[in-house]
Amino acid sequence: MGRSRRTLPEELLLLALDPTTGTTAQPQSLDLGLAGAQLVELALAGRIAPDGDRIAVVSPRPTGDPTLDCALELLRRRGAPVRAVHWIGGPRLGLRQTYLSHLERCGMVHAVAGQMCGVLPTTRYQATDTAISREIRARLDSAIRTGVPPDPRTAALAALAHAVGLGKHLYPGNEGRSSRSRLRDLIRHDPMGGLVAHAVMDVQNGAAAQPRRNPAAPAGRQAAPGGRAAAEPARGVPVQPRRGSMARVVAH
């Protein structure tokens, strides 16, 4: 995969960056959105494909993007299609910081050192090339304003932006209500983006923790009362602690 084109996780992160504060909007749901954006990017690259509500690897060939290839390898190791909601709900250590550091290396953002409460060192990130952020935003604005079905990449970006709650960040107030509604409606224009966006929202609503119905549960999987199998754990993924805005990186 050529690096001349920004990936969906990068674009989603740039959309979420507040140009005034250097922090990210909706930090906790954004982490889920970045994991989901990786799935969509891998699907656009022909490496994975939806299989019902699951994600199947169709080509393990590396993309050339280290972060995406790590996700692809984790999916491959599962050995069987994984439910999108379980993949997205699996915590991943430092995913947002990985992308922030990558954007800094590419010159798209720069780190600004500061202090929290006048004591703790922090790092915030400011966009250095605002034209890139404007171009990304213009694609969403155009799709919302014209009503013309967008390309799959823009449709997926819109679906993810809605799923993580960026609508109020991008189109605030009562005057932005119709734009937020149309942003939500764009979810139908890309099947993979729609699957992932719904999975992100399901995780936020606690659906990932709910057992699913599986009358013919494989041997070795303990079924819960009522014929419902226990939810699959997110294997092969390091644990990430819950935090507030991770765009503020506290040095230890």
Side-chain angles (χ1 to χ4, degrees), residues 186-202:
L186 290 175
I187 199 171
R188 70 183 187 274
H189 290 294
D190 179 60
M192 185 64 179
L195 169 65
V196 169
H198 283 297
V200 168
M201 291 184 284
D202 284 346

Side-chain angles (χ1 to χ4, degrees), residues 63-232:
T63 67
D65 181 297
T67 309
L68 289 175
D69 288 341
C70 180
L72 180 61
E73 176 61 15
L74 289 175
L75 285 166
R76 186 194 66 80
R77 289 179 186 175
R78 295 296 294 266
V82 58
R83 290 187 70 204
V85 71
H86 289 154
W87 172 261
I88 290 170
R92 286 160 183 80
L93 182 63
L95 184 60
R96 190 179 348 153
Q97 183 56 44
T98 295
Y99 277 109
L100 283 169
S101 298
H102 171 74
L103 291 175
E104 184 182 16
R105 289 193 299 272
C106 292
M108 296 185 196
V109 302
H110 72 278
V112 179
Q115 288 185 329
M116 182 184 298
C117 301
V119 178
L120 298 175
T122 63
T123 303
R124 302 185 183 202
Y125 292 86
Q126 301 284 350
T128 54
D129 191 343
T130 56
I132 294 176
S133 297
R134 288 198 302 269
E135 182 272 328
I136 298 170
R137 174 67 179 271
R139 282 163 43 209
L140 289 186
D141 290 346
S142 177
I144 288 173
R145 182 179 63 255
T146 65
V148 176
D151 62 275
R153 180 174 294 274
T154 301
L157 181 62
L160 288 163
H162 166 70
V164 303
L166 290 183
K168 291 185 178 180
H169 169 70
L170 298 172
Y171 307 104
N174 288 332
E175 64 276 14
R177 183 178 301 173
S178 61
S179 293
R180 295 195 298 270
S181 177
R182 288 192 289 271
L183 180 71
R184 179 196 62 218
D185 292 342
L186 290 175
I187 199 171
R188 70 183 187 274
H189 290 294
D190 179 60
M192 185 64 179
L195 169 65
V196 169
H198 283 297
V200 168
M201 291 184 284
D202 284 346
V203 173
Q204 294 180 79
N205 293 330
Q210 298 299 321
R212 60 189 177 89
R213 186 174 300 279
N214 186 3
R221 180 178 296 174
Q222 184 176 1
R228 296 172 68 88
E232 300 173 7

